[in-house]
Amino acid sequence: MGSPQMTREQDLSVRELLVNTFEEVRRITGSPEVELPKPVYSEIANDSDHHRMREGFMEYKTVCFFANFKGKHWLFARGESYGDYPARPFDSDLIAIPIGTAVSLAVTLECIVTEIARGAYFHNTLVCGLTNGQLTARSSSRFLGEPIRSSLARFVEFVSQRLEVDRDIFLASTLNRLTIKAARYRKELVPILAQAILHTLSC
């Protein structure tokens, strides 16, 4: 007799995976979450021309800071896609930005908008979740050669629902195949992904 199917209560969408991983990293590092006065945006896609603006962004509403973590100071945040259709292939991401030596929170907050905006096109992205549920490392990321990227190949064993697409139907706005079932993940991946992120940021 085969094993029972995993229910939706037992596994996670890619957004839920990144939400839980963000919270796990905060728990491990003891970092309080700081709500930003207003959302901050980083451009991730642009299909504008002379006649119209079509831009996609990641939107960040809260951040946290690792105070003197392994001798380094990091801003850590979770973003969600925002804007026009160029953003549709992307769901959410986790970013980290080195902030040098410890500075006052007030001064740091003044720099957040600039630093996140400078990370356009996933420059500061550790891991990105796509709308189809896939977990990726972006080729434009500063962390491309770091442990987080090599770890992604091992995460396949934690996939509870494989991505299913219609091979005959493409979406005009993204040129991607129509998703029938988005990829989903076992909850056990959360602490493993969190540790991979912390390992990357300590290198």
Side-chain angles (χ1 to χ4, degrees):
M1 184 175 178
S3 59
Q5 291 290 320
M6 183 170 288
T7 68
R8 288 299 175 91
E9 288 73 27
Q10 295 172 307
D11 65 3
L12 303 169
S13 68
V14 74
R15 178 170 296 192
E16 291 168 336
L17 173 64
L18 296 190
V19 167
N20 281 270
T21 300
F22 178 78
E23 293 301 323
E24 179 68 3
V25 170
R26 285 207 314 112
R27 184 191 68 79
I28 293 171
T29 59
S31 305
E33 188 172 17
V34 179
E35 184 173 351
L36 300 176
K38 61 181 181 180
V40 180
Y41 301 92
S42 176
E43 185 172 300
I44 58 172
N46 193 320
D47 190 34
S48 302
D49 58 28
H50 296 296
H51 306 289
R52 83 278 194 276
M53 297 290 290
R54 295 292 184 271
E55 299 171 304
F57 302 88
M58 280 292 177
E59 178 185 58
Y60 304 89
K61 296 181 178 180
T62 62
V63 300
C64 68
F65 302 93
F66 300 152
N68 201 28
F69 180 70
K70 289 289 183 72
K72 299 180 181 180
H73 299 264
W74 294 94
L75 178 156
F76 184 59
R78 185 185 67 85
E80 295 183 2
S81 64
Y82 175 90
D84 282 314
Y85 68 82
R88 289 177 189 168
F90 308 100
D91 180 85
S92 50
D93 74 347
L94 295 175
I95 66 170
I97 301 174
I99 55 175
T101 58
V103 293
S104 71
L105 183 58
V107 173
T108 302
L109 286 173
E110 291 178 3
C111 301
I112 286 176
V113 173
T114 300
E115 291 302 318
I116 289 181
R118 283 178 179 171
Y121 294 89
F122 304 103
H123 178 64
N124 295 314
T125 296
L126 288 153
V127 62
C128 178
L130 304 183
T131 305
N132 64 15
Q134 290 184 308
L135 201 60
T136 69
R138 310 306 296 174
S139 60
S140 55
S141 171
R142 68 163 75 227
F143 302 107
L144 182 62
E146 301 295 341
I148 186 67
R149 183 172 178 82
S150 60
S151 297
L152 289 178
R154 298 189 293 107
F155 295 163
V156 65
E157 63 185 278
F158 295 94
V159 174
S160 58
Q161 166 64 57
R162 293 185 180 277
L163 170 64
E164 295 183 15
V165 299
D166 189 318
R167 297 187 176 277
D168 298 321
I169 300 178
F170 288 82
L171 301 177
S173 60
T174 63
L175 299 181
N176 292 328
R177 289 186 171 93
L178 176 67
T179 298
I180 298 174
K181 290 184 179 181
R184 295 181 67 86
Y185 301 86
R186 290 162 44 197
K187 290 182 177 180
E188 291 84 356
L189 180 55
V190 170
I192 295 173
L193 180 55
Q195 288 296 338
I197 287 172
L198 293 174
H199 180 43
T200 294
L201 299 183
S202 65
C203 290

